[in-house]
């Protein structure tokens, strides 16, 4: 009798402990792929890498567009964007002279998306190639002092299509109404603005910094 009672209590304990142990596997502990889409708005600050060097200041512009983000594995996904991006450079000349060249692009970055954290706030890293197409440009030249114009003033650009590398760091915050993502990013061109064998430059590459805020919908919003 006692032996049967002991065995019965052991079985009851086992049945009680097992569901308690299994209950720790909550839905939040299981990775669920996320898909988000939305818009981004921000500001750009650009200059050009010239060799030989040209003294410059940053040319401030606008960046904005559409964002698609899919996180297929824990901490890893892709982010693709379609952006309108203002770039170019502004040279530092003796007053009252001035020279600037504004370049307006449609840009498509293809980015690997990394994120750290599974709660409402995550650290993010985006890195990958981009391709852009020059929509328009504007050159402003003011040589009021009578200084002679540089030979590349008015020179045609090498190509309308440009490609390069983008890398960004920021964080995303999940809310019940969507995701807000803040990111600082740098874009470095791999194709010369002017032909590499043309005077006076061996290299002439776009360098663009940007800071933006994205508002994303869809997917699963962590932290609900």
């Amino acid at each position: 009798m006692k032996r049967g009672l002991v065995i019965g209590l052991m079985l009851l304990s086992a049945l009680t402990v097992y569901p308690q142990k299994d209950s720790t596997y909550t839905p939040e502990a299981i990775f669920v792929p996320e898909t988000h889409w939305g818009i981004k708005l921000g500001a750009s600050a650009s200059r050009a890498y010239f060799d030989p060097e040209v003294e410059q200041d940053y040319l401030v512009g606008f960046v904005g567009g559409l964002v698609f983000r899919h996180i297929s594995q824990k901490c890893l996904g892709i982010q693709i964007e379609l952006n309108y991006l203002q770039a170019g450079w502004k040279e530092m000349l003796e007053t009252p002279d001035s020279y600037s060249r504004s370049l307006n692009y449609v840009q498509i970055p293809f980015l690997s998306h990394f994120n750290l954290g599974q709660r409402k706030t995550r650290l993010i890293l985006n890195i990958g190639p981009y391709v852009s197409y020059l929509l328009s440009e504007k050159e402003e030249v003011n040589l009021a002092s009578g200084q002679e114009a540089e030979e590349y003033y008015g020179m045609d650009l090498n190509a309308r299509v440009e490609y390069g590398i983008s890398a960004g760091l920021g964080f995303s915050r999940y809310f019940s109404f969507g995701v807000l993502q803040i990111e600082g990013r740098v874009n470095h061109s791999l194709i010369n603005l002017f032909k590499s064998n043309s005077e006076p430059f061996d290299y002439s590459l776009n360098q663009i910094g940007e800071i933006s805020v994205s508002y994303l919908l869809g997917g699963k919003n962590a932290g609900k």
Side-chain angles (χ1 to χ4, degrees), residues 182-194:
I182 299 176
E183 181 187 0
R185 185 182 298 177
V186 293
N187 306 277
H188 186 83
S189 174
L190 297 178
I191 185 169
N192 285 307
L193 289 164
F194 302 109

Side-chain angles (χ1 to χ4, degrees), residues 153-169:
Y153 290 3
M155 183 183 292
D156 290 337
L157 296 180
N158 181 26
R160 300 191 76 88
V161 176
E162 179 181 289
Y163 54 86
I165 297 294
S166 294
L169 185 67

Side-chain angles (χ1 to χ4, degrees), residues 77-144:
I78 62 169
Q79 183 164 310
I80 302 173
E81 301 173 5
L82 176 63
N83 298 323
Y84 173 76
L85 175 65
Q86 293 181 324
W89 73 96
K90 180 171 65 174
E91 298 183 8
M92 298 178 66
L93 304 177
E94 293 292 334
T95 306
D97 295 348
S98 63
Y99 176 85
S100 65
R101 193 158 184 171
S102 302
L103 309 173
N104 302 313
Y105 292 96
V106 58
Q107 182 204 54
I108 306 177
F110 300 89
L111 306 171
S112 295
H113 175 84
F114 303 89
N115 64 82
L116 181 63
Q118 292 297 317
R119 296 186 180 275
K120 292 184 179 181
T121 302
R122 302 181 185 180
L123 181 69
I124 63 166
L125 170 66
N126 290 319
I127 187 167
Y130 73 83
V131 61
S132 58
Y133 179 80
L134 181 65
L135 296 173
S136 62
E137 61 173 298
K138 182 179 180 181
E139 194 174 27
E140 295 185 353
V141 184
N142 178 22
L143 301 177

